[in-house]
Amino acid sequence: MNRNMKMRLANRGIGEFRAEAGVIWLYDVIAQDDDDAEWGGGVSPRQFIDALQGSTGALTIRVNSPGGSVFGAQAMVAAMRAHEHPITVQIDSLAASAASVIACAASHVQMAPGSMMMIHKAWGFAMGNEAEMRQTADLLEKVDGQIAASYAAKTGGDVDEYLDLMAAETWFTADEALTAKLADEV
């Protein structure tokens, strides 16, 4: 079993996800679906979407998440885009990996002093022969392009620049994210 899965299983049920009075607390791993969330812990897109749909008016999503499934995050992003009211993401501590994609989909991103955002190239698991491994590599390259495009759309930047930053696994302080236009306010 890989280190990521061991960590998820060890921390299953420790994170926090709740919605109350115009605030969603995303303090957990982002799961791909309900089965993934049940087995390995984390927040599923369905749970997130239910909380989003249960809110009225402007919404704040408070984030402290190491990320998780980029496909789970994308389903959450699609629901955020369909939400009728403005959404602010407030990064309280960490928005890493897929959580950074969710943050960049908000109409406004606030980062607390001392918080960080991390971006990196997608990774996954593959099993099979060389053709299946190449298919996985091709899929990861496509996912990287989509993620970089989301950062570029948020910042008005260049997709290739974000691909380079992702390849370097870049950690942004709140002030660095503000300078990079990944955040709107510290």
Side-chain angles (χ1 to χ4, degrees):
M1 184 178 304
N2 71 46
R3 288 182 292 169
N4 181 49
M5 189 52 64
K6 285 181 185 177
M7 177 193 71
R8 281 190 65 192
L9 290 173
N11 290 295
R12 182 174 44 193
I14 293 175
E16 179 179 5
F17 178 74
R18 63 185 162 94
E20 59 186 30
V23 178
I24 294 176
W25 298 78
L26 179 56
Y27 272 51
D28 209 339
V29 172
I30 299 161
Q32 182 168 328
D33 54 32
D34 287 338
D35 290 338
D36 184 32
E38 184 177 331
W39 189 80
V43 178
S44 75
R46 184 198 49 77
Q47 291 171 299
F48 181 87
I49 291 165
D50 287 350
L52 192 66
Q53 290 174 339
S55 68
T56 57
L59 179 68
T60 297
I61 302 171
R62 296 187 65 169
V63 176
N64 181 25
S65 174
S69 168
V70 70
F71 295 113
Q74 184 54 46
M76 295 173 183
V77 164
M80 288 169 65
R81 288 186 181 134
H83 192 67
E84 296 177 1
H85 301 283
I87 296 176
T88 295
V89 164
Q90 180 177 322
I91 301 170
D92 292 335
S93 181
L94 177 64
S97 190
S100 71
V101 174
I102 290 171
C104 286
S107 52
H108 190 77
V109 179
Q110 299 172 335
M111 291 182 69
S115 65
M116 296 192 84
M117 181 184 288
M118 184 273 282
I119 66 174
H120 69 96
K121 292 187 86 170
W123 55 280
F125 306 97
M127 190 165 112
N129 62 33
E130 82 285 353
E132 291 161 325
M133 298 294 180
R134 284 187 190 97
Q135 280 182 319
T136 300
D138 291 344
L139 173 60
L140 289 171
E141 186 174 27
K142 286 181 182 183
V143 170
D144 287 339
Q146 289 184 316
I147 294 169
S150 70
Y151 299 139
K154 165 71 177 159
T155 65
D158 180 67
V159 170
D160 288 332
E161 173 190 357
Y162 281 98
L163 286 169
D164 290 343
L165 290 168
M166 291 163 59
E169 186 180 295
T170 304
W171 289 78
F172 295 92
T173 65
D175 289 332
E176 289 168 342
L178 183 63
T179 298
K181 299 183 182 175
L182 290 166
D184 302 302
E185 178 183 356
V186 175

